[in-house]
Amino acid sequence: MRSPAELSSAFRESGLKVTPQRQLLFRLLHDNATHPTADALYASASQQMPGISLRTVYQTLTDLTSMGELQSFDFGNGATRFDPNVGSHHHVVCRSCHEVADVYVDAAADLDVAGLEGFTIDRSDIVFHGVCARCSATPHATTPQPTSQTNSPTTGDMP
Amino acid sequence: MRSPAELSSAFRESGLKVTPQRQLLFRLLHDNATHPTADALYASASQQMPGISLRTVYQTLTDLTSMGELQSFDFGNGATRFDPNVGSHHHVVCRSCHEVADVYVDAAADLDVAGLEGFTIDRSDIVFHGVCARCSATPHATTPQPTSQTNSPTTGDMP
DNA sequence: CACTCTATCTGCACATGATGCGAACACGCA
DNA sequence: TGCGTGTTCGCATCATGTGCAGATAGAGTG
Ligand SMILES: [Mn+2]
Ligand SMILES: [Mn+2]
Ligand SMILES: [Zn+2]
Ligand SMILES: [Zn+2]
C-alpha cells in the first residue's frame, strides 16, 4: 500500500475524509510485514489512541482492501490477516505460533495443472505450512514476533 | 477415505462404536467430491435421519479428520470444507458460488522458492481462485451443484 | 435374552470473528 | 464560524464452532 501521506491525499481527492483514526492505521500498516489481524491492529492502535473502536479498525481495513491498498488472507487460523504488500507473492505459516512470512515463488507459471477445465482463474495462492525457527527451538513458543529472518534453509518438499 | 464397510470394521476394531449416525455420514462422505461443509452434510443427513444433531456431525467430522480419513480445508468462505480425498492434490474455488474442485499439479516440487529460510515445511497448498463455467454463463448463479466438469480449458496465468 | 460398561448423542451454553444499524460526532469547505 | 455529509462508536446480531453433562444405546458377557 502507499505511504500515509499518499493515502491521505488520495482519500481527500476521492471525497473521503482523513481522520486521526485512519491516519493512525495508515501508519500502523505501512511497511508492516507481520500480516496482522484486525484485533492485533486494534491492540496497537489502542495504545496510541485509547478509545478507538474495533469497529472502526474493521471498517478501515475493509475500505483499504476494497480500494486495493491491502490484501486479505485467511490461513484458517480463525482471523483474517491483512497485508499491505499487494504485489504478487505467497506465504508460509507457522503451525505453532501462526506467524506469517512472505514467500516468493519463481516460474510458477510453468506448472502443469489438471482440473481447471471450465474455470477462469484470476488468482493463485500458495500456502506453505510448517514450523518457524523460533518454534523449532522453543517447542511451546506462543507469541508471534514482528519480524525475524533466520538461517537453516530447510526447503521442504512440495507435495 | 475408506468405504463405509471398511470404516465400520476399523471403528469396531478400535473399540469405537458403529452408530447409525456414523454410518450415515460414512455413506454421505464416501466418494463425495463436493468438498461439503459441516452444515451441508447436516442438511443431507437430516433428510435421511430427521433429528440427527449438528453437534454429532461436527463431532464425527472432527474424529474422521484426526483419524486421517478426511482432510479439512479453509478457503476463506466462512466454513470449513471436508474432503474424503486424502491424496495429495490442490483446489480451485469459484469466487461466485464457492464451488470447489480438485486440481492436480505436477512438478510442483521444482518450484524456485525464496522466503522459507528457518521454516520446516510439511505441507503446501495451492488454491486457484476464479469463476466456474456455470457462473460464467449465469452471472448471478448461487447454488453450487454436486459436480460438473465442462470444457473451455481456460488455464489462467499463475502470478 | 438380560445386564453392564462406556462410548456416543443431543441440546444448550458459550467463544470468537465479523457485520448491520443508527445516533453522536467531526472533517472539509464556504 | 456554520453547515452537510462522511465517520466513528457502541451495541445488537449473525455465523461457525466448541465445551459440557445428562440421556441414550452399542457391544460384549453370562
Ligand atoms: Mn504477504
Ligand atoms: Mn479435494
Ligand atoms: Zn512459530
Ligand atoms: Zn461458480
Side-chain angles (χ1 to χ4, degrees), chain A residues 2-3 8 13 19 23 28 30 36 52 57 62 69 76 81 94 97 112 122 124 134 139 141 145-146 154 157:
Chain A
R2 288 176 280 177
S3 72
S8 295
E13 285 166 20
T19 66
Q23 289 175 294
L28 290 177
H30 184 63
I52 188 174
V57 175
T62 304
E69 299 289 342
R81 299 286 184 144
C94 176
C97 67
D112 192 2
D122 49 49
S124 306
R134 186 154 24 88
Q145 283 186 355
T154 312
D157 54 347

PDB file of all heavy atoms in Angstrom, chain A residues 2-3 8 13 19 23 28 30 36 52 57 62 69 76 81 94 97 112 122 124 134 139 141 145-146 154 157:
ATOM      1  N   ARG A   2       0.267   2.357  -0.372  1.00  0.00           N
ATOM      2  CA  ARG A   2       1.029   3.589  -0.476  1.00  0.00           C
ATOM      3  C   ARG A   2       1.340   4.188   0.900  1.00  0.00           C
ATOM      4  O   ARG A   2       0.821   3.738   1.917  1.00  0.00           O
ATOM      5  CB  ARG A   2       0.241   4.594  -1.322  1.00  0.00           C
ATOM      6  CG  ARG A   2       0.210   4.226  -2.792  1.00  0.00           C
ATOM      7  CD  ARG A   2      -0.644   5.165  -3.599  1.00  0.00           C
ATOM      8  NE  ARG A   2      -2.069   4.859  -3.475  1.00  0.00           N
ATOM      9  CZ  ARG A   2      -3.035   5.592  -4.043  1.00  0.00           C
ATOM     10  NH1 ARG A   2      -2.721   6.678  -4.737  1.00  0.00           N
ATOM     11  NH2 ARG A   2      -4.295   5.247  -3.903  1.00  0.00           N
ATOM     12  N   SER A   3       2.158   5.203   0.900  1.00  0.00           N
ATOM     13  CA  SER A   3       2.572   5.819   2.164  1.00  0.00           C
ATOM     14  C   SER A   3       1.401   6.554   2.796  1.00  0.00           C
ATOM     15  O   SER A   3       0.436   6.931   2.119  1.00  0.00           O
ATOM     16  CB  SER A   3       3.706   6.806   1.909  1.00  0.00           C
ATOM     17  OG  SER A   3       3.190   7.952   1.253  1.00  0.00           O
ATOM     18  N   SER A   8      -3.398   9.825   2.370  1.00  0.00           N
ATOM     19  CA  SER A   8      -4.174  10.982   2.815  1.00  0.00           C
ATOM     20  C   SER A   8      -4.611  11.819   1.621  1.00  0.00           C
ATOM     21  O   SER A   8      -5.785  12.200   1.512  1.00  0.00           O
ATOM     22  CB  SER A   8      -3.338  11.835   3.784  1.00  0.00           C
ATOM     23  OG  SER A   8      -3.068  11.097   4.975  1.00  0.00           O
ATOM     24  N   GLU A  13      -8.793  13.470  -2.165  1.00  0.00           N
ATOM     25  CA  GLU A  13      -9.170  13.666  -3.569  1.00  0.00           C
ATOM     26  C   GLU A  13     -10.395  12.847  -3.975  1.00  0.00           C
ATOM     27  O   GLU A  13     -11.065  13.145  -4.955  1.00  0.00           O
ATOM     28  CB  GLU A  13      -7.987  13.331  -4.485  1.00  0.00           C
ATOM     29  CG  GLU A  13      -6.912  14.424  -4.480  1.00  0.00           C
ATOM     30  CD  GLU A  13      -5.606  13.932  -5.101  1.00  0.00           C
ATOM     31  OE1 GLU A  13      -5.653  12.930  -5.845  1.00  0.00           O
ATOM     32  OE2 GLU A  13      -4.555  14.543  -4.809  1.00  0.00           O
ATOM     33  N   THR A  19      -9.268  11.150   8.817  1.00  0.00           N
ATOM     34  CA  THR A  19      -9.471  11.255  10.264  1.00  0.00           C
ATOM     35  C   THR A  19      -8.235  10.772  11.006  1.00  0.00           C
ATOM     36  O   THR A  19      -7.406  10.055  10.431  1.00  0.00           O
ATOM     37  CB  THR A  19     -10.669  10.401  10.682  1.00  0.00           C
ATOM     38  OG1 THR A  19     -10.355   9.025  10.449  1.00  0.00           O
ATOM     39  CG2 THR A  19     -11.903  10.768   9.887  1.00  0.00           C
ATOM     40  N   GLN A  23      -5.484   7.943   9.875  1.00  0.00           N
ATOM     41  CA  GLN A  23      -4.055   8.239   9.771  1.00  0.00           C
ATOM     42  C   GLN A  23      -3.229   7.273  10.616  1.00  0.00           C
ATOM     43  O   GLN A  23      -2.165   6.814  10.207  1.00  0.00           O
ATOM     44  CB  GLN A  23      -3.792   9.690  10.198  1.00  0.00           C
ATOM     45  CG  GLN A  23      -4.318  10.698   9.187  1.00  0.00           C
ATOM     46  CD  GLN A  23      -4.169  12.133   9.666  1.00  0.00           C
ATOM     47  OE1 GLN A  23      -4.808  12.541  10.641  1.00  0.00           O
ATOM     48  NE2 GLN A  23      -3.324  12.888   8.992  1.00  0.00           N
ATOM     49  N   LEU A  28       0.271   2.437  11.027  1.00  0.00           N
ATOM     50  CA  LEU A  28       0.485   1.086  11.567  1.00  0.00           C
ATOM     51  C   LEU A  28       0.621   0.041  10.466  1.00  0.00           C
ATOM     52  O   LEU A  28       1.253  -1.000  10.665  1.00  0.00           O
ATOM     53  CB  LEU A  28      -0.674   0.705  12.494  1.00  0.00           C
ATOM     54  CG  LEU A  28      -0.748   1.452  13.822  1.00  0.00           C
ATOM     55  CD1 LEU A  28      -1.981   1.016  14.603  1.00  0.00           C
ATOM     56  CD2 LEU A  28       0.519   1.200  14.644  1.00  0.00           C
ATOM     57  N   HIS A  30       1.658   0.727   7.177  1.00  0.00           N
ATOM     58  CA  HIS A  30       2.699   0.997   6.188  1.00  0.00           C
ATOM     59  C   HIS A  30       3.950   0.179   6.474  1.00  0.00           C
ATOM     60  O   HIS A  30       4.479   0.219   7.578  1.00  0.00           O
ATOM     61  CB  HIS A  30       3.036   2.494   6.185  1.00  0.00           C
ATOM     62  CG  HIS A  30       4.026   2.868   5.137  1.00  0.00           C
ATOM     63  ND1 HIS A  30       3.784   2.722   3.791  1.00  0.00           N
ATOM     64  CD2 HIS A  30       5.282   3.365   5.232  1.00  0.00           C
ATOM     65  CE1 HIS A  30       4.837   3.129   3.098  1.00  0.00           C
ATOM     66  NE2 HIS A  30       5.757   3.515   3.952  1.00  0.00           N
ATOM     67  N   PRO A  36      -0.871  -8.620  10.107  1.00  0.00           N
ATOM     68  CA  PRO A  36      -1.636  -8.539  11.361  1.00  0.00           C
ATOM     69  C   PRO A  36      -3.110  -8.858  11.165  1.00  0.00           C
ATOM     70  O   PRO A  36      -3.654  -8.712  10.073  1.00  0.00           O
ATOM     71  CB  PRO A  36      -1.464  -7.077  11.777  1.00  0.00           C
ATOM     72  CG  PRO A  36      -1.284  -6.347  10.485  1.00  0.00           C
ATOM     73  CD  PRO A  36      -0.487  -7.284   9.611  1.00  0.00           C
ATOM     74  N   ILE A  52     -10.200   4.274  20.534  1.00  0.00           N
ATOM     75  CA  ILE A  52     -10.513   3.935  19.144  1.00  0.00           C
ATOM     76  C   ILE A  52     -11.338   2.658  19.149  1.00  0.00           C
ATOM     77  O   ILE A  52     -11.134   1.771  19.981  1.00  0.00           O
ATOM     78  CB  ILE A  52      -9.233   3.765  18.293  1.00  0.00           C
ATOM     79  CG1 ILE A  52      -9.595   3.623  16.822  1.00  0.00           C
ATOM     80  CG2 ILE A  52      -8.429   2.575  18.775  1.00  0.00           C
ATOM     81  CD1 ILE A  52      -8.401   3.591  15.883  1.00  0.00           C
ATOM     82  N   VAL A  57     -11.620  -0.003  13.182  1.00  0.00           N
ATOM     83  CA  VAL A  57     -10.494  -0.734  12.605  1.00  0.00           C
ATOM     84  C   VAL A  57     -10.992  -1.660  11.500  1.00  0.00           C
ATOM     85  O   VAL A  57     -10.452  -1.663  10.390  1.00  0.00           O
ATOM     86  CB  VAL A  57      -9.752  -1.531  13.695  1.00  0.00           C
ATOM     87  CG1 VAL A  57      -8.657  -2.399  13.079  1.00  0.00           C
ATOM     88  CG2 VAL A  57      -9.145  -0.579  14.720  1.00  0.00           C
ATOM     89  N   THR A  62     -11.523  -2.918   5.803  1.00  0.00           N
ATOM     90  CA  THR A  62     -12.385  -3.297   4.683  1.00  0.00           C
ATOM     91  C   THR A  62     -12.281  -2.279   3.555  1.00  0.00           C
ATOM     92  O   THR A  62     -12.170  -2.636   2.380  1.00  0.00           O
ATOM     93  CB  THR A  62     -13.839  -3.406   5.161  1.00  0.00           C
ATOM     94  OG1 THR A  62     -13.900  -4.326   6.253  1.00  0.00           O
ATOM     95  CG2 THR A  62     -14.746  -3.907   4.042  1.00  0.00           C
ATOM     96  N   GLU A  69      -5.572  -1.242  -1.574  1.00  0.00           N
ATOM     97  CA  GLU A  69      -4.370  -0.873  -0.840  1.00  0.00           C
ATOM     98  C   GLU A  69      -3.904  -2.001   0.079  1.00  0.00           C
ATOM     99  O   GLU A  69      -2.769  -2.016   0.549  1.00  0.00           O
ATOM    100  CB  GLU A  69      -4.620   0.387   0.001  1.00  0.00           C
ATOM    101  CG  GLU A  69      -4.992   1.620  -0.820  1.00  0.00           C
ATOM    102  CD  GLU A  69      -3.798   2.156  -1.620  1.00  0.00           C
ATOM    103  OE1 GLU A  69      -2.652   1.811  -1.294  1.00  0.00           O
ATOM    104  OE2 GLU A  69      -4.037   2.910  -2.584  1.00  0.00           O
ATOM    105  N   GLY A  76      -6.860 -19.954   7.800  1.00  0.00           N
ATOM    106  CA  GLY A  76      -7.548 -20.989   8.567  1.00  0.00           C
ATOM    107  C   GLY A  76      -7.216 -20.991  10.045  1.00  0.00           C
ATOM    108  O   GLY A  76      -7.452 -21.967  10.736  1.00  0.00           O
ATOM    109  N   ARG A  81      -6.091 -12.166   7.959  1.00  0.00           N
ATOM    110  CA  ARG A  81      -4.811 -11.451   8.001  1.00  0.00           C
ATOM    111  C   ARG A  81      -4.805 -10.383   6.923  1.00  0.00           C
ATOM    112  O   ARG A  81      -5.265 -10.617   5.806  1.00  0.00           O
ATOM    113  CB  ARG A  81      -3.658 -12.425   7.746  1.00  0.00           C
ATOM    114  CG  ARG A  81      -3.563 -13.540   8.777  1.00  0.00           C
ATOM    115  CD  ARG A  81      -3.014 -12.991  10.053  1.00  0.00           C
ATOM    116  NE  ARG A  81      -2.798 -14.009  11.079  1.00  0.00           N
ATOM    117  CZ  ARG A  81      -1.779 -13.955  11.927  1.00  0.00           C
ATOM    118  NH1 ARG A  81      -0.896 -12.969  11.860  1.00  0.00           N
ATOM    119  NH2 ARG A  81      -1.670 -14.867  12.860  1.00  0.00           N
ATOM    120  N   CYS A  94       3.406 -20.573  10.230  1.00  0.00           N
ATOM    121  CA  CYS A  94       3.861 -21.470  11.292  1.00  0.00           C
ATOM    122  C   CYS A  94       2.645 -22.111  11.958  1.00  0.00           C
ATOM    123  O   CYS A  94       1.765 -21.417  12.433  1.00  0.00           O
ATOM    124  CB  CYS A  94       4.691 -20.729  12.330  1.00  0.00           C
ATOM    125  SG  CYS A  94       5.175 -21.795  13.718  1.00  0.00           S
ATOM    126  N   CYS A  97       2.890 -20.977  16.086  1.00  0.00           N
ATOM    127  CA  CYS A  97       2.634 -19.622  16.580  1.00  0.00           C
ATOM    128  C   CYS A  97       1.831 -18.789  15.583  1.00  0.00           C
ATOM    129  O   CYS A  97       1.506 -17.640  15.847  1.00  0.00           O
ATOM    130  CB  CYS A  97       3.950 -18.909  16.903  1.00  0.00           C
ATOM    131  SG  CYS A  97       4.972 -18.548  15.460  1.00  0.00           S
ATOM    132  N   ASP A 112       2.262 -27.640 -14.433  1.00  0.00           N
ATOM    133  CA  ASP A 112       1.420 -28.499 -15.255  1.00  0.00           C
ATOM    134  C   ASP A 112       0.182 -28.845 -14.431  1.00  0.00           C
ATOM    135  O   ASP A 112       0.232 -29.617 -13.490  1.00  0.00           O
ATOM    136  CB  ASP A 112       2.192 -29.767 -15.627  1.00  0.00           C
ATOM    137  CG  ASP A 112       1.468 -30.558 -16.708  1.00  0.00           C
ATOM    138  OD1 ASP A 112       0.411 -30.092 -17.175  1.00  0.00           O
ATOM    139  OD2 ASP A 112       1.975 -31.630 -17.076  1.00  0.00           O
ATOM    140  N   ASP A 122      -8.190 -16.152 -11.828  1.00  0.00           N
ATOM    141  CA  ASP A 122      -7.637 -14.808 -11.741  1.00  0.00           C
ATOM    142  C   ASP A 122      -6.680 -14.635 -10.573  1.00  0.00           C
ATOM    143  O   ASP A 122      -6.154 -13.555 -10.347  1.00  0.00           O
ATOM    144  CB  ASP A 122      -8.757 -13.762 -11.673  1.00  0.00           C
ATOM    145  CG  ASP A 122      -9.807 -14.110 -10.651  1.00  0.00           C
ATOM    146  OD1 ASP A 122      -9.433 -14.432  -9.510  1.00  0.00           O
ATOM    147  OD2 ASP A 122     -11.001 -14.080 -10.998  1.00  0.00           O
ATOM    148  N   SER A 124      -3.924 -17.089  -7.829  1.00  0.00           N
ATOM    149  CA  SER A 124      -3.433 -18.373  -7.336  1.00  0.00           C
ATOM    150  C   SER A 124      -2.617 -18.140  -6.078  1.00  0.00           C
ATOM    151  O   SER A 124      -1.680 -17.339  -6.090  1.00  0.00           O
ATOM    152  CB  SER A 124      -2.558 -19.052  -8.391  1.00  0.00           C
ATOM    153  OG  SER A 124      -3.264 -19.148  -9.617  1.00  0.00           O
ATOM    154  N   ARG A 134      11.923 -20.185  15.432  1.00  0.00           N
ATOM    155  CA  ARG A 134      11.748 -19.964  16.871  1.00  0.00           C
ATOM    156  C   ARG A 134      10.963 -21.099  17.520  1.00  0.00           C
ATOM    157  O   ARG A 134      11.301 -21.584  18.583  1.00  0.00           O
ATOM    158  CB  ARG A 134      11.044 -18.624  17.093  1.00  0.00           C
ATOM    159  CG  ARG A 134      10.927 -18.198  18.528  1.00  0.00           C
ATOM    160  CD  ARG A 134      10.836 -16.684  18.632  1.00  0.00           C
ATOM    161  NE  ARG A 134      10.331 -16.126  17.375  1.00  0.00           N
ATOM    162  CZ  ARG A 134       9.040 -15.956  17.082  1.00  0.00           C
ATOM    163  NH1 ARG A 134       8.132 -16.267  17.983  1.00  0.00           N
ATOM    164  NH2 ARG A 134       8.662 -15.458  15.934  1.00  0.00           N
ATOM    165  N   PRO A 139       9.854 -25.483  21.693  1.00  0.00           N
ATOM    166  CA  PRO A 139       8.674 -26.250  21.285  1.00  0.00           C
ATOM    167  C   PRO A 139       7.338 -25.619  21.621  1.00  0.00           C
ATOM    168  O   PRO A 139       6.370 -25.840  20.926  1.00  0.00           O
ATOM    169  CB  PRO A 139       8.856 -27.561  22.054  1.00  0.00           C
ATOM    170  CG  PRO A 139      10.328 -27.710  22.185  1.00  0.00           C
ATOM    171  CD  PRO A 139      10.842 -26.308  22.381  1.00  0.00           C
ATOM    172  N   ALA A 141       6.594 -22.261  21.989  1.00  0.00           N
ATOM    173  CA  ALA A 141       6.512 -20.817  21.748  1.00  0.00           C
ATOM    174  C   ALA A 141       5.069 -20.450  21.391  1.00  0.00           C
ATOM    175  O   ALA A 141       4.347 -21.227  20.794  1.00  0.00           O
ATOM    176  CB  ALA A 141       7.437 -20.411  20.604  1.00  0.00           C
ATOM    177  N   GLN A 145       6.397 -12.786  16.942  1.00  0.00           N
ATOM    178  CA  GLN A 145       7.131 -11.523  16.965  1.00  0.00           C
ATOM    179  C   GLN A 145       6.959 -10.809  15.641  1.00  0.00           C
ATOM    180  O   GLN A 145       6.663 -11.440  14.633  1.00  0.00           O
ATOM    181  CB  GLN A 145       8.621 -11.793  17.225  1.00  0.00           C
ATOM    182  CG  GLN A 145       8.915 -12.106  18.687  1.00  0.00           C
ATOM    183  CD  GLN A 145      10.404 -12.217  18.938  1.00  0.00           C
ATOM    184  OE1 GLN A 145      11.190 -12.143  18.003  1.00  0.00           O
ATOM    185  NE2 GLN A 145      10.785 -12.386  20.190  1.00  0.00           N
ATOM    186  N   PRO A 146       7.178  -9.478  15.653  1.00  0.00           N
ATOM    187  CA  PRO A 146       7.038  -8.658  14.447  1.00  0.00           C
ATOM    188  C   PRO A 146       7.670  -9.288  13.219  1.00  0.00           C
ATOM    189  O   PRO A 146       7.011  -9.687  12.303  1.00  0.00           O
ATOM    190  CB  PRO A 146       7.743  -7.358  14.827  1.00  0.00           C
ATOM    191  CG  PRO A 146       7.561  -7.266  16.294  1.00  0.00           C
ATOM    192  CD  PRO A 146       7.538  -8.684  16.811  1.00  0.00           C
ATOM    193  N   THR A 154      15.735 -24.804   5.323  1.00  0.00           N
ATOM    194  CA  THR A 154      15.107 -26.120   5.225  1.00  0.00           C
ATOM    195  C   THR A 154      13.955 -26.050   4.233  1.00  0.00           C
ATOM    196  O   THR A 154      12.800 -25.929   4.612  1.00  0.00           O
ATOM    197  CB  THR A 154      14.571 -26.554   6.603  1.00  0.00           C
ATOM    198  OG1 THR A 154      15.588 -26.347   7.578  1.00  0.00           O
ATOM    199  CG2 THR A 154      14.191 -28.021   6.574  1.00  0.00           C
ATOM    200  N   ASP A 157       9.920 -30.376   0.875  1.00  0.00           N
ATOM    201  CA  ASP A 157       9.457 -30.841  -0.424  1.00  0.00           C
ATOM    202  C   ASP A 157       8.022 -30.418  -0.663  1.00  0.00           C
ATOM    203  O   ASP A 157       7.253 -30.220   0.255  1.00  0.00           O
ATOM    204  CB  ASP A 157       9.592 -32.360  -0.526  1.00  0.00           C
ATOM    205  CG  ASP A 157       8.889 -33.059   0.619  1.00  0.00           C
ATOM    206  OD1 ASP A 157       8.521 -32.355   1.609  1.00  0.00           O
ATOM    207  OD2 ASP A 157       8.690 -34.243   0.564  1.00  0.00           O
TER     208      ASP A 157
END
